[in-house]
Amino acid sequence: MEKGEMVYEGKAKKVFRTGDPNLFIVSYKDDATAFNGAKKGTIRGKGQINNRVTNHLMRLLESKGIPTHFVRELSDTDTLVKKVSIVPLEVIVRNIAAGSLSKRLGLGEGEKLAFPVLEYCYKNDELGDPLVNEYHIRALGLAGREDLELIADYSFKINSILGEYLESVHISLIDFKLEFGKLPSGDLVLADEISPDTCRFWDTRTGEKLDKDRFRRDMGGVEDAYGEVQRRLLGE
Ligand code: TMP
Ligand code: ASP
């Protein structure tokens, strides 16, 4: 499958047309940003790692009955995906308090939540992806009631599947962000990526951070942490 015209360039990925109007190629970059693009950098090898880790987890989720946009891995950095129209929401699932939740509610990072918490942010860079609830989403027409119910249902299932799997390689799934899209048929599927850029992964035994917080917080050892996630998940 050949790359055609580039239709979109985001902070961490490019998207290209293909000869098939229903299929796109996603190409992962080493570029990293944080704080809505205010902090910029490069994480060597990230494109390859995020592509391969995402595809590995998408395949796992598909095998457990979660529909995704994934079609086929084309190379270390490129993947064929189904064309979707993205629901403009960042769907966040949290198991342990960290990041913006800790700040907002004054919870210590690492405090266990009594049960998983679902949050939605409106995907809008100009507004800085503000937190919204179901009422905002429905009132603004960002997603309908049925889609929203399915998004919540899939998100909690994904949390269980990924949490259990990651535990087996001694990674604690603290929180993560998902994006969903609609196929031309109207079916809702999981889209975007699931990687150390979009999840908080802590080593279960040492508590060491194995994710993008090392970049956001200038902790060093970013490449090693991403490489460690790839090794644990893909055995390489
Ligand atoms: P937060 O604690 O900063 O709100 O982040 C929650 C989760 O969402 C965390 O796993 C990182 C992920 N995330 C993204 O994937 N993209 C973003 O732009 C932000 C702010 C967070
Ligand atoms: N990548 C996001 C941005 O630059 C933020 C983040 O992941 O922290 O907006």
Side-chain angles (χ1 to χ4, degrees), residues 90 92 94 98-100 175-177 197-200 216:
E90 300 208 330
I92 296 167
R94 302 180 183 272
S100 69
D175 58 35
F176 58 98
K177 186 265 300 179
D197 268 15
T198 63
C199 303
R200 285 196 173 91
R216 296 187 188 100

Side-chain angles (χ1 to χ4, degrees), residues 109-110 167 169-172 174 201-211 214 219 225 228-229 232:
E109 279 213 317
E167 206 58 43
V169 292
H170 309 294
I171 291 174
S172 300
I174 306 306
F201 293 143
W202 293 0
D203 185 294
T204 307
R205 294 173 288 199
T206 65
E208 190 190 356
K209 295 188 199 310
L210 300 173
D211 57 56
R214 300 198 78 89
M219 297 171 72
E228 182 61 21
V229 171
R232 291 203 199 173

Side-chain angles (χ1 to χ4, degrees), residues 11 33-36 90-94 98-102 104 109 119 121 129 174-179 192-193 195-201 211-213 216-217:
K11 297 182 200 113
T33 65
F35 315 118
N36 203 11
E90 300 208 330
V91 181
I92 296 167
V93 183
R94 302 180 183 272
S100 69
L101 180 73
S102 287
R104 194 178 341 121
E109 279 213 317
E119 288 175 359
C121 293
D129 298 339
I174 306 306
D175 58 35
F176 58 98
K177 186 265 300 179
L178 301 172
E179 294 185 27
D192 198 50
E193 64 179 286
S195 72
D197 268 15
T198 63
C199 303
R200 285 196 173 91
F201 293 143
D211 57 56
K212 194 175 167 190
D213 272 347
R216 296 187 188 100
R217 302 179 188 189

